[in-house]
Amino acid sequence: IDAGMGIGHHPHRFNERLFYIEEGQLDHDDALNRITGHMDTGDVGQFTEGRRGMMHSEWNHGDVDTRAYILVYSTDPVPPQAAFHVLKDADAPRYDEGDGGRTKELVGTKSPLKVNGDIRLFTDSILEPGAELEFALGAEEGGLASVRSGRVRVDDESELLPGRTLLAPPADEPRTIQLRAEEPSRVIRVV
């Protein structure tokens, strides 16, 4: 979203959205439920639409363009109320993963952000050249790996460049996908 621009009020209902602010900032305004909030770089905004739904707008009042990674998923059961929460960048757990990898956990067992849908893991990892990540998916779990910068080799077969996303549909058996950075890289993973 360009600096000084935004998305006007529009309706949503029954889903939940996570806005991960990769760069810039956004202001949230849910006119239907009188809920407002702000997200800065590195924050995750959680938009719970609830049964009533929301009539929201997102506006970039900042001086730089905003880039957000957005996940949309269904809620089951549908929460009774609309809500807006922010996991601040400083409050997201970080840990070393593998040799040369540093991971920020947005949703998962270590994160304080609890979602109302079947998102089991949402991470942002910074990888040094040669660093490897294991992307473990259980039986019936699907996932995605989105390269935000750098180059990442998948299972020593294919290569993902910035803006490319690997989609792994659910499978009967558990599996592990190997991700290896060919250069300094950043990868978002979701299960």
Side-chain angles (χ1 to χ4, degrees):
I1 300 176
D2 293 341
M5 302 298 290
I7 302 166
H9 284 93
H10 59 283
H12 288 291
R13 196 167 165 198
F14 301 137
N15 292 318
E16 190 164 82
R17 296 160 197 281
L18 296 178
F19 275 50
Y20 179 38
I21 308 300
E22 295 182 285
E23 185 177 340
Q25 58 88 47
L26 281 180
D27 289 310
H28 170 70
D29 177 39
D30 174 2
L32 182 64
N33 299 291
R34 297 188 177 119
I35 299 171
T36 61
H38 180 80
M39 298 164 282
D40 284 312
T41 299
D43 294 349
V44 179
Q46 178 184 23
F47 303 69
T48 304
E49 297 164 7
R51 287 190 202 127
R52 181 176 180 194
M54 65 173 48
M55 178 72 70
H56 78 116
S57 76
E58 305 312 313
W59 211 267
N60 178 0
H61 290 105
D63 297 329
V64 300
D65 294 349
T66 295
R67 201 170 77 170
Y69 191 88
I70 303 170
L71 288 179
V72 181
Y73 48 92
S74 35
T75 52
D76 184 23
V78 176
Q81 302 295 319
F84 175 73
H85 301 286
V86 175
L87 172 63
K88 300 302 279 179
D89 180 45
D91 297 331
R94 289 166 169 82
Y95 47 88
D96 292 330
E97 190 172 7
D99 191 20
R102 184 84 176 147
T103 295
K104 175 181 173 184
E105 187 171 298
L106 309 168
V107 174
T109 57
K110 296 174 179 65
S111 174
L113 183 63
K114 303 305 174 206
V115 297
N116 296 294
D118 196 14
I119 302 297
R120 299 170 189 189
L121 184 70
F122 181 15
T123 62
D124 185 0
S125 299
I126 303 294
L127 305 173
E128 296 174 5
E132 294 185 359
L133 285 179
E134 286 193 348
F135 189 23
L137 299 170
E140 305 302 322
E141 287 184 337
L144 65 84
S146 179
V147 175
R148 311 311 291 156
S149 64
R151 283 183 342 190
V152 175
R153 185 154 298 279
V154 180
D155 288 334
D156 285 328
E157 294 176 14
S158 59
E159 189 173 83
L160 293 175
L161 300 173
R164 299 289 173 99
T165 300
L166 166 77
L167 295 175
D172 293 335
E173 300 294 322
R175 65 212 188 272
T176 300
I177 299 167
Q178 295 291 330
L179 304 173
R180 186 181 75 236
E182 298 293 303
E183 61 188 45
S185 301
R186 188 169 145 247
V187 179
I188 286 178
R189 290 173 293 162
V190 179
V191 176

